[in-house]
C-alpha cells in the first residue's frame, strides 16, 4: 500500500512540492539532497509514503519515516531536514470546522480527557487509514471524481484519525477552552503581530491564562518561549524577503520588527550561519528546489 501511495504521488506531484486540484491536499516528492529549510507549518497531517524527514521546533524534534504520519496541531516555525531519500508524502491541511462537525455527528462533543498541548506528534499509519489516504490521492487520476468523492474520502480520513492514535489530541484541539486551543490562539496571534513588540501579559490575556501557565504550556507545545517563537517568525520572513531581493537588509530588518540592525545581523547569522547580505546572495543563486516547502 505504501508503494501504491508513493506511485500516486509521483504521478501528480509537479516538482518537489505542489498543491493539487483536491482541496487541502499537497504532495511532496524529493529525490536529491536539499539543505535544511525553515517553514511555518499550519495544522496538518503528513502521511509519509517514502523516505524520512526530521522537523525541529526549538528544543523539540521528530523524525517521521515511511509508514508513519506526523500531526502538527498549531502554527509552528520548524526546520526541516530530509534524512532518507527518495522522500514522498501526502499532506492534509486540517479543516477545523469539518473536524468539529464530524465530532457533532458522532456525538463526541462532551468533555475530553485533558492532555498536554502537543505541537507535533507522530504515529504509525493504521492500514485502513493508509488505504483511505491512498484513495484520496488517487482521485487525481480521475478529475471528474474529485468533486463528488474527495469530501467523502476526506471525512473518512478524519473519522479514522479520530478512531486512531491521534484521536484524543484532535478531540482536545476542538474544545474552545482546551490547552491546545488556547496555545493555538496565541501562536496565531503572534503570527499576525510578529513584527510588533511582544508582551507576555498581552498574549496571556489572549489565551485567558496566567503568564506562568501560558509560558509553561507554550514551551511544552512549541519547544520554545513565546519570544523565541516570535524571533523565528521574524527571521524566516526576513530570509524570504532577502531571497526576493526587493529591499535592503536594513529595510527588511525594520519591516520584520527589529529596531537594531546589529541585533538583526547577530541573530540572523546565529540562525543561518551567514550574515544577511551574504546569505541573500546565496539564496538568489541556489536552485529553487531548496526553497520548496517540505
Amino acid at each position: 500500500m505504501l508503494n501504491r501511495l508513493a506511485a500516486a504521488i509521483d504521478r501528480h506531484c509537479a516538482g518537489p512540492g505542489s498543491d493539487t486540484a483536491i482541496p487541502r491536499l499537497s504532495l511532496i516528492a524529493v529525490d536529491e539532497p536539499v539543505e535544511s529549510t525553515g517553514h511555518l507549518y499550519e495544522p496538518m497531517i503528513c502521511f509519509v509514503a517514502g523516505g524520512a524527514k526530521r522537523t525541529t521546533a526549538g528544543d523539540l524534534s521528530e523524525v517521521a519515516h515511511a509508514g508513519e504520519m506526523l500531526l502538527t496541531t498549531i502554527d509552528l516555525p520548524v526546520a526541516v531536514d530530509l534524512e532518507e531519500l527518495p522522500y514522498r508524502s501526502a499532506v492534509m491541511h486540517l479543516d477545523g470546522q469539518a473536524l468539529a462537525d464530524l465530532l457533532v455527528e458522532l456525538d463526541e462533543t462532551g468533555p475530553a480527557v485533558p492532555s498536554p498541548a502537543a505541537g507535533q506528534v507522530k504515529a504509525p499509519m493504521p492500514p485502513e487509514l493508509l488505504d483511505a489516504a491512498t484513495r484520496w490521492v488517487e482521485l487525481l487520476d480521475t478529475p471528474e471524481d474529485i468533486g463528488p468523492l474527495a469530501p467523502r474520502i476526506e471525512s473518512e480520513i478524519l473519522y479514522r484519525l479520530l478512531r486512531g492514535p491521534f484521536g484524543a489530541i484532535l478531540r482536545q484541539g476542538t474544545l474552545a477552552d482546551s490547552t491546545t486551543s488556547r496555545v493555538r490562539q496565541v501562536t496565531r496571534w503572534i503570527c499576525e503581530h510578529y513584527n510588533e513588540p511582544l508582551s507576555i501579559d498581552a498574549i496571556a490575556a489572549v489565551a485567558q491564562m496566567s503568564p506562568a501557565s501560558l509560558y509553561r504550556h507554550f514551551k511544552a507545545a512549541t519547544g520554545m518561549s513565546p519570544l523565541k517563537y516570535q524571533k523565528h517568525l521574524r527571521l524566516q520572513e526576513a530570509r524570504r524577503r532577502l531571497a526576493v531581493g526587493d529591499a535592503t537588509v536594513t529595510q527588511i530588518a525594520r519591516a520584520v520588527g527589529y529596531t537594531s540592525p546589529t541585533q538583526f545581523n547577530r541573530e540572523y547569522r546565529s540562525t543561518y550561519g551567514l550574515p544577511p547580505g551574504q546569505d541573500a546572495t546565496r539564496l538568489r543563486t541556489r536552485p529553487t528546489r531548496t526553497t520548496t516547502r517540505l
Side-chain angles (χ1 to χ4, degrees):
M1 185 64 72
L2 277 178
N3 290 338
R4 183 177 148 194
L5 176 57
I9 293 170
D10 277 334
R11 289 196 300 274
H12 298 287
C13 187
S18 63
D19 294 330
T20 71
I22 298 175
R24 290 173 293 281
L25 172 63
S26 300
L27 302 177
I28 308 293
V30 181
D31 294 318
E32 300 178 5
V34 298
E35 67 180 76
S36 177
T37 53
H39 303 287
L40 177 62
Y41 275 8
E42 302 168 347
M44 65 184 193
I45 295 180
C46 179
F47 302 103
V48 182
K53 76 170 177 180
R54 178 184 296 276
T55 57
T56 303
D59 299 332
L60 305 178
S61 183
E62 288 283 4
V63 180
H65 296 87
E68 295 181 324
M69 51 187 178
L70 180 68
L71 167 65
T72 304
T73 62
I74 58 178
D75 298 310
L76 192 64
V78 299
V80 181
D81 296 275
L82 297 183
E83 298 205 338
E84 294 179 18
L85 295 171
Y87 178 79
R88 300 290 185 271
S89 68
V91 180
M92 169 185 273
H93 302 274
L94 288 174
D95 184 338
Q97 187 59 54
L99 187 60
D101 290 345
L102 182 57
L103 285 170
V104 170
E105 183 179 343
L106 297 174
D107 194 23
E108 295 186 10
T109 56
V113 176
S115 62
Q120 283 200 323
V121 61
K122 71 172 182 178
M125 278 188 280
E128 62 275 9
L129 182 55
L130 174 58
D131 174 68
T134 301
R135 286 185 283 108
W136 197 42
V137 176
E138 287 179 337
L139 286 177
L140 295 167
D141 293 330
T142 53
E144 66 275 11
D145 293 336
I146 292 174
L149 294 182
R152 290 169 171 79
I153 299 178
E154 182 179 2
S155 292
E156 179 188 348
I157 293 172
L158 292 176
Y159 171 81
R160 297 196 180 282
L161 287 167
L162 288 170
R163 290 290 183 259
F166 293 154
I169 296 173
L170 291 171
R171 290 184 184 86
Q172 185 81 0
T174 64
L175 299 178
D177 62 347
S178 70
T179 300
T180 298
S181 292
R182 292 182 180 187
V183 171
R184 185 186 301 126
Q185 288 177 341
V186 171
T187 59
R188 287 181 177 171
W189 191 94
I190 298 175
C191 287
E192 292 169 359
H193 302 85
Y194 74 93
N195 58 352
E196 301 173 11
L198 181 63
S199 163
I200 299 300
D201 288 338
I203 60 175
V206 170
Q208 298 182 343
M209 301 170 73
S210 71
S213 180
L214 170 63
Y215 186 95
R216 183 174 68 256
H217 291 298
F218 191 97
K219 181 76 182 295
T222 67
M224 62 194 99
S225 69
L227 287 172
K228 189 172 181 181
Y229 180 100
Q230 181 194 49
K231 184 184 83 170
H232 278 286
L233 291 177
R234 287 179 170 183
L235 292 176
Q236 282 188 3
E237 176 60 15
R239 202 177 198 213
R240 186 193 68 80
R241 296 189 184 202
L242 285 168
V244 173
D246 57 359
T248 67
V249 170
T250 299
Q251 289 172 332
I252 290 173
R254 290 174 179 167
V256 301
Y258 281 90
T259 57
S260 167
T262 300
Q263 181 186 5
F264 173 68
N265 287 333
R266 182 175 63 251
E267 293 185 353
Y268 191 99
R269 183 168 189 165
S270 175
T271 300
Y272 297 118
L274 288 173
Q278 292 182 27
D279 195 38
T281 300
R282 189 181 64 87
L283 289 170
R284 294 167 198 162
T285 57
R286 69 182 185 175
T288 56
R289 63 181 174 81
T290 60
T291 62
T292 299
R293 182 170 180 172
L294 301 176

